[in-house]
Structures are given as C-alpha cells and as structure tokens.
Amino acid sequence: MLIILSETVPLNPEYTSIGNAIKASRNDIPDYLLYLEKAQMIGQLRNQTGGMRGLGKIEKVYLDNNS
C-alpha cells in the first residue's frame, strides 16, 4: 500500500481503487491509512467540515518526512 501511495502523492484517496490495487476491502483502507499515519509514514489532511459530515473525510494523503 505504501508503494501505491508513494507513486501518487499527494493523493485524494479513492478507497475502492486502493482496495482493488492491494486486494483488500475498501472498508479496511481508512484503517490502514490511520495505521500508517500513526507510524508516521504518511500524513493525512482532513476536511474542515464539522460534525458528522466531516468524520472520516480525508482530502489528501502525503508521505511523511522520515529524515
């Protein structure tokens, strides 16, 4: 998944296409992105929309600077 992200960052995540590329359910992709973010491998830019509409909405995914 990290290879796919690194080839297309900054990425507006399409969970279905990422899921198809790594042969995983589209419902698991947000969890995988969160795990990568917690490991400081990527950064996620979240939508400024508040309330229920803004939950889980990711605008862009960036590779984190690991230097």
Side-chain angles (χ1 to χ4, degrees):
M1 183 170 174
L2 194 57
I3 292 170
I4 293 167
L5 294 175
S6 68
E7 292 174 350
T8 58
V9 294
L11 169 72
N12 186 355
E14 294 263 341
Y15 296 150
T16 302
S17 62
I18 295 172
N20 290 340
I22 65 169
K23 298 185 182 359
S25 169
R26 75 172 297 284
N27 296 332
D28 292 334
I29 302 303
D31 292 335
Y32 296 158
L33 291 174
L34 183 61
Y35 299 149
L36 288 172
E37 183 177 37
K38 286 186 176 184
Q40 298 180 349
M41 299 176 98
I42 65 168
Q44 298 184 74
L45 179 64
R46 290 175 173 74
N47 194 335
Q48 294 296 324
T49 305
M52 293 299 289
R53 291 184 88 193
L55 289 177
K57 292 205 175 191
I58 306 299
E59 286 188 19
K60 299 280 182 188
V61 174
Y62 296 95
L63 290 180
D64 203 353
N65 185 4
N66 291 331
S67 58

